Amino acid sequence: MKKIFSSDSFKKFNYIYCTIFVVLLSTILLFISNTLIAFSTPNELKGKTILIDPGHGGIDGGTSSGNLLEKNINLEASMILKSKLISHGAKVIMTRDKDISLENLCNDNDYRHRRDLKARVNMINNNKIDIYLSIHVNAVANAPYVNGPMVFYSNANESNKTLALYIQKSLNAATGINRNPNIADYFLLTNAKKTGVLVELGFITNNSDKNLLQSREYLSKLSDGIIDGLEKYFKNK
């Protein structure tokens, strides 16, 4: 009788079959593992509403260094943060998502900058949100050695301080900076009625920070730090 398969052919067939089996089994096990992790790992941000306020915009460039404007860094960092928060299941409201100022949203008889700030405060107070984050870049001309992110809060309620502590600690871990959050009497912080903080991403007057703040990779790292702080805040709330 004529052989249908030679010994070599059978070995080759068996090898291919085993390889396919191993690949399929690995894929199934990986899927099961990821599914179990998704169900077992609590998602503290799912269902939370976060308002992000990219500081300045439009006619108001904020602080600057040469052609580098704070308003653009704030917006880029905020859009990265928005995307990451949404991927964590949060709902995000933006005070601005383009290069505009907001004074036209406030009809008060006040000067332009104050109307812009009032418009941001109104969005915070008039929306049903869990947290607000105002994103900025710092500057201190007479101390170019100062660097790293800083978190500011109002002492109007204890939640502001707690949130600031968590976010500052996470940003410290992400950047290697050792700093405590600071109380500030900024108009937005003192007039906002919801829990939130103002995050200064770094110092545009520091050469190292200036270079880092132009890197999407670094802004993404800062966003991860902010999100880590948010998750710990909600977990322990």
Side-chain angles (χ1 to χ4, degrees), residues 10-227:
F10 182 79
K11 289 180 179 178
K12 184 176 181 181
F13 176 81
N14 193 43
Y15 172 78
I16 294 172
Y17 176 81
C18 290
T19 301
I20 293 173
F21 177 77
V22 169
V23 170
L24 287 175
L25 182 61
S26 298
T27 302
I28 292 170
L29 290 175
L30 180 62
F31 174 78
I32 293 173
S33 176
N34 288 339
T35 302
L36 290 174
I37 290 173
F39 279 102
S40 63
T41 303
N43 185 354
E44 304 297 339
L45 294 178
K46 186 175 183 179
K48 298 293 189 296
T49 301
I50 313 295
L51 183 143
I52 302 177
D53 171 42
H56 308 283
I59 193 173
D60 180 7
T63 191
S64 63
S65 178
N67 294 324
L68 184 62
L69 302 178
E70 177 191 353
K71 66 174 184 177
N72 296 327
I73 300 173
N74 296 343
L75 183 58
E76 183 174 10
S78 295
M79 296 305 290
I80 293 172
L81 179 58
K82 174 187 177 181
S83 178
K84 287 178 177 287
L85 284 170
I86 290 174
S87 72
H88 280 71
K91 177 183 177 183
V92 177
I93 298 173
M94 303 286 292
T95 59
R96 69 180 181 98
D97 57 8
K98 56 179 69 72
D99 185 18
I100 58 172
S101 55
L102 305 180
E103 68 272 9
N104 293 333
L105 299 180
C106 178
N107 296 320
D108 288 0
N109 184 22
D110 212 335
Y111 60 94
R112 189 209 66 79
H113 181 61
R114 183 58 64 88
R115 283 187 287 116
D116 175 86
L117 289 173
K118 286 182 176 180
R120 298 170 195 267
V121 169
N122 289 339
M123 291 183 71
I124 292 170
N125 292 340
N126 296 335
N127 279 286
K128 189 176 180 180
I129 62 174
D130 295 285
I131 291 294
Y132 74 85
L133 301 166
S134 190
I135 306 299
H136 288 260
V137 169
N138 220 333
V140 53
N142 61 346
Y145 52 86
V146 180
N147 69 317
M150 298 180 69
V151 181
F152 293 89
Y153 67 97
S154 163
N155 61 357
N157 64 65
E158 192 65 24
S159 294
N160 291 332
K161 180 179 180 179
T162 302
L163 176 63
L165 283 166
Y166 279 121
I167 293 180
Q168 184 70 70
K169 186 175 181 179
S170 292
L171 287 173
N172 288 349
T175 61
I177 302 294
N178 186 18
R179 181 172 280 129
N180 294 317
N182 292 268
I183 297 176
D185 61 353
Y186 299 147
F187 182 89
L188 185 141
L189 293 177
T190 57
N191 287 276
K193 297 177 182 178
K194 306 293 178 65
T195 298
V197 295
L198 186 148
V199 180
E200 300 276 6
L201 301 173
F203 287 80
I204 203 170
T205 45
N206 176 269
N207 286 331
S208 177
D209 273 9
K210 178 182 175 180
N211 291 328
L212 289 170
L213 291 169
Q214 297 177 73
S215 162
R216 282 186 63 86
E217 182 180 355
Y218 183 71
L219 295 181
S220 180
K221 178 193 284 188
L222 294 181
S223 291
D224 289 339
I226 292 171
I227 289 173

